[in-house]
Amino acid sequence: MNRFIVSVAFTLLLVGNAAAQNADALLEAHKQVSHEAHWDYAEHGPQHWGDFSHICESGKAQSPINIVPTQSVELSTLYEVSFAEDVHTNAKIFDNGHSIIVTPSNSGKITLHGKEYKLIQFHFHGKSEHTVDGRQYDMEAHMVHQADDQTLAVVAIMFEVGEKNALIQTIIDNIGKTANIDPQDLLPKDLSHYYHYTGSLTTPPCTENVQWYILKDTDSISSAQLKIFRKFYLDNERPVQSINSRHIESK
């Protein structure tokens, strides 16, 4: 993984300041990386992830899932979430071989049943992992939060093609660099309506007992921006998993 990041950083030194040139050079570096035997979305794809972590195959509370709104139940007040993501901070933006990752140095937080979860990173999937009534959205972002006891809560934002997104453009222009961002700019306007369920990480080791919040309101991304993201990652989404005995809560 470190060799990959160094390779991308070296490539970035060779390209100019133009955004398109920067994206093209990064894409070429992405294509030329020779990964060690490791999970991916192709040869060692989701159907083989049990070889890397048995819970990916045997777990009964896996993510992502298809959400059927008519089968959801009213959200318990214990699982209401509040947002405090409005923090202007420097963030590293890089391609880790699976997704475009943003790691803020001074992060925001969410509060869930009295416990704070700090934002540790957010990343993107070229098509949505979660679906709603079988609908797959144009892109999905995951804001990964961690509490002091190491438990995780993830906020998922669905994107639809529409207006150009300023934060997305900052990320595109600064892959392999550090940029000043505000994580709140990733969130849609309505934060009061969402689905909640208990699931897992959507990549190995597929750790369970993750609290998931899928916002009902969507954010926008231009077709040109989506095209750039999909040059890097078009199929980096895990197929939906069985709900089993879990309940999907709705607010």
Side-chain angles (χ1 to χ4, degrees):
M1 186 65 70
N2 289 337
R3 290 197 301 274
F4 174 74
I5 295 173
V6 170
S7 174
V8 173
F10 177 75
T11 302
L12 284 170
L13 293 174
L14 304 179
V15 299
N17 292 325
Q21 184 181 3
N22 183 51
D24 288 344
L26 280 164
L27 179 61
E28 187 61 28
H30 168 76
K31 289 178 178 178
Q32 292 177 1
V33 169
S34 177
H35 293 288
E36 299 174 0
H38 187 58
W39 67 267
D40 56 31
Y41 293 94
E43 182 181 358
H44 304 106
Q47 68 272 26
H48 301 296
W49 285 358
D51 297 338
F52 302 96
S53 175
H54 70 89
I55 199 170
C56 296
E57 184 176 3
S58 63
K60 301 301 181 185
Q62 290 289 291
S63 297
I65 60 170
N66 176 51
I67 296 167
V68 181
T70 57
Q71 296 177 3
S72 62
V73 299
E74 185 176 355
L75 180 77
S76 166
T77 56
L78 291 175
Y79 287 100
E80 290 184 351
V81 63
S82 61
F83 295 83
E85 306 281 23
D86 189 9
V87 178
H88 292 271
T89 177
N90 286 330
K92 293 181 180 179
I93 303 169
F94 58 95
D95 175 358
N96 77 341
H98 303 300
S99 181
I100 303 300
I101 311 288
V102 181
T103 56
S105 59
N106 181 25
S107 59
K109 64 183 179 181
I110 60 174
T111 302
L112 169 60
H113 49 77
K115 184 164 64 174
E116 292 185 352
Y117 292 74
K118 292 184 64 176
L119 177 66
I120 57 175
Q121 57 106 318
F122 56 90
H123 61 271
F124 300 88
H125 296 269
K127 291 181 286 188
S128 76
E129 295 197 299
H130 290 86
T131 58
V132 180
D133 271 338
R135 178 190 175 186
Q136 187 173 42
Y137 288 81
D138 295 319
M139 190 170 78
E140 182 173 345
H142 292 164
M143 302 181 76
V144 183
H145 301 75
Q146 188 175 58
D148 288 340
D149 61 4
Q150 307 303 303
T151 55
L152 297 171
V154 183
V155 177
I157 302 104
M158 303 298 187
F159 286 80
E160 296 181 280
V161 170
E163 296 181 0
K164 184 176 181 179
N165 187 301
L167 177 59
I168 294 296
Q169 192 60 48
T170 297
I171 291 168
I172 289 172
D173 291 342
N174 290 280
I175 299 172
K177 302 178 183 179
T178 298
N180 187 265
I181 65 162
D182 183 349
Q184 181 170 269
D185 293 340
L186 190 67
L187 297 169
K189 292 180 180 179
D190 182 3
L191 303 179
S192 61
H193 296 93
Y194 44 81
Y195 299 104
H196 165 264
Y197 76 100
T198 301
S200 74
L201 297 179
T202 65
T203 60
C206 304
T207 306
E208 295 189 336
N209 199 32
V210 175
Q211 300 306 316
W212 276 94
Y213 290 87
I214 294 89
L215 297 178
K216 294 183 180 180
D217 194 11
T218 61
D219 208 343
S220 67
I221 183 171
S222 73
S223 58
Q225 290 174 325
L226 183 62
K227 184 177 180 180
I228 291 174
F229 263 94
R230 287 184 172 176
K231 282 183 178 180
F232 287 91
Y233 295 107
L234 173 60
D235 294 310
N236 67 334
E237 65 278 344
R238 187 187 193 188
V240 295
Q241 305 294 299
S242 298
I243 294 178
N244 295 318
S245 61
R246 290 175 287 175
H247 294 292
I248 311 303
E249 295 181 297
S250 177
K251 182 177 186 297

